[in-house]
Amino acid sequence: TFDKILIANRGEIACRVIKTCKKMGIKTVAVHSDVDSSAVHVKMADEAVCVGPAPTNKSYLNMDAIMNAIKQTGAQAVSVCVCVFMCKAAEGVSFIGPDTHAIQAMGDKIESKLIAKAAKVNTIPGFDGVVKDAEEAVKIAGEIGYPVMIKASAGGGGKGMRIAWNDEETREGFRFSSQEAASSFGDDRLLIEKFIDNPRHIEIQVLADKHGNALWLNERECSIQRRNQKVVEEAPSTFLDPDTRRAMGEQAVSLAKAVKYSSAGTVEFLVDSKKNFYFLEMNTRLQVEHPITECITGLDLVQQMIRIAMGYKLQHKQSDIPINGWAIESRVYAEDPYKSFGLPSIGRLSQYQEPLDLRNVRVDSGIEEGSDISIYYDPMISKLVTYGKTREEALKKMEEALDNYVIRGVTHNIPLLREIIVHPRFVSGDISTKFLPEVYPDGFKGHMLTAGERRELLATAAALYVAVEIDGEKVEVSGEWNLASALLPLTINGKHRTLQVYKHAYFKLRVLSKLAASLSKHMPEKVPEDTSSILRSPMPGSVVAVSVKPGDNVAEGQEICVIEAMKMQNSMTAAKAAKVKSVHCKAGDTVGEGDLLVELE
């Protein structure tokens, strides 16, 4: 096989590739931006090369710098998960992934849809050309019929995508989608298609070699999403029967063969309530959620990609591919789940402990205690994967793993993940891409304690507080707990519980003496801020545009400014009709969470 591979990516996926390379005896080269010089993937690799400053377009997407790193290190192959370097590398350098033709054909949503149609793959009705401007978008949307999906032709990862239910939303969606697409992919072309309301998002993993052989490795259920980005995935799906699974798999393989695909790839489908399925897109890279496929098939997909890049034939036939057990993946993000199901959070991981002491738990991460989560990159902390012989077993293990995961220093989405996996609708398999807004129509508010849980929490807090000494002898009323530990395993009325006690906990408890409690009623209460008259940034990011100036009159819901974080643009609007008193930001400013942007009179 190869002697040395350069990995042109960062974070958990770079670490994932390095692990398999080590297993195969292949030396690795990491590339990194200047702010990532101490990152985990850099420490794991045998060599490392700095390719530029923090912004991705100046480092990880800087083709010239990547090519120089390849030549400098003598790497024989390049593993690129972003798939933007069309491997115009020095002669003799292999690309671990599909060839340029397949990447370009499937990376362009317009072209890929035309190819899918020709390969007899079910497609969504829509306009197959490039939309020129907002007014043409409105005209096309009217012809297709609302609702419509506006999305970047070169897009992926939920960026450059908007759903529109009327002409005004189409104009706004066109503007934001084209700006996000240009920022994320350097390509602002958009397409419009019919929005399939309330579908499931189910994808098929494919594996193809350079000799015309291709397999489908079963499906992944990816319907739990926020802002078109996946949050919880599982394999297999509770919804598919063997016939639908086979039909989807065969169409996925047909598409892969149509573009002479060779590597691991994913064909994504929308599936309606009657099990009709429609081609969405093909991802020509190793997907974030690939570990759950590895769990149920026993295949190492990175190893398979490296073998294929070397020119080997597939080792397996379709009949060899099993579904063994059940696997679930939770995407753990540095996000505030109480804001739009997750707006980015930044900070340093002051304490970090993965639940790897539990059986059948896998954590794919690219960070460690002390790592910084910055505004420059995706806010993913890790992919938490649990496996079981049954779905129930995998879910129970996920519950335990989330309870035992310690993350301090940044806000994270574990409270939301924990609620999803125990929700009756999720447990029963009654899900769609609208699961989160349907289950939490007013946004996620956190876990609502039952009367029993409330009593347990109060008793535990009181027990933690109590310690008694009598005649020099210490009596541990609270039990043998190590309060220096991040985790407190308890048994309450015969039930096992795992608690974490820290400053920024989900449930705020204060233990007061009788005197302090009696005097607290005389303390003045803090008056809540009038949020209708001020606009604060809900997350750290940069100001893309400011639409108002002091003295302007604004209507309720009118856009005041646009904040970009992790390449997603967010429109900040007025909470009421008012006059602009003062503006505290301008385009290009970097803002922190809670920073004052605009004051209204």
Side-chain angles (χ1 to χ4, degrees), residues 213-268:
N213 304 304
L215 302 169
W216 47 275
L217 309 181
N218 303 310
E219 79 277 6
R220 295 187 288 257
E221 171 73 75
C222 307
S223 296
I224 308 297
Q225 303 181 2
R226 52 102 179 87
R227 299 191 300 279
N228 299 307
Q229 292 178 313
K230 300 157 191 170
V231 180
V232 176
E233 302 106 337
E234 61 182 306
S237 167
T238 59
F239 190 61
L240 295 193
D241 55 70
D243 289 343
T244 309
R245 177 178 294 118
R246 188 182 311 107
M248 291 175 72
E250 287 171 354
Q251 285 199 16
V253 164
S254 173
L255 180 61
K257 287 183 174 180
V259 289
K260 296 184 171 54
Y261 197 87
S262 61
S263 192
T266 299
V267 181
E268 303 194 8

Side-chain angles (χ1 to χ4, degrees), residues 269-287:
F269 293 95
L270 291 180
V271 185
D272 69 18
S273 58
K274 297 182 176 63
K275 295 185 181 172
N276 299 309
F277 56 91
Y278 305 94
F279 170 70
L280 187 61
E281 63 182 341
M282 184 174 191
N283 274 297
T284 57
R285 64 179 189 273
L286 192 63
Q287 289 281 83

Side-chain angles (χ1 to χ4, degrees), residues 318-336:
Q318 191 62 56
S319 57
D320 297 333
I321 306 303
I323 297 181
N324 286 332
W326 215 283
I328 296 168
E329 175 179 288
S330 292
R331 297 194 187 192
V332 181
Y333 283 104
E335 290 182 336
D336 186 343

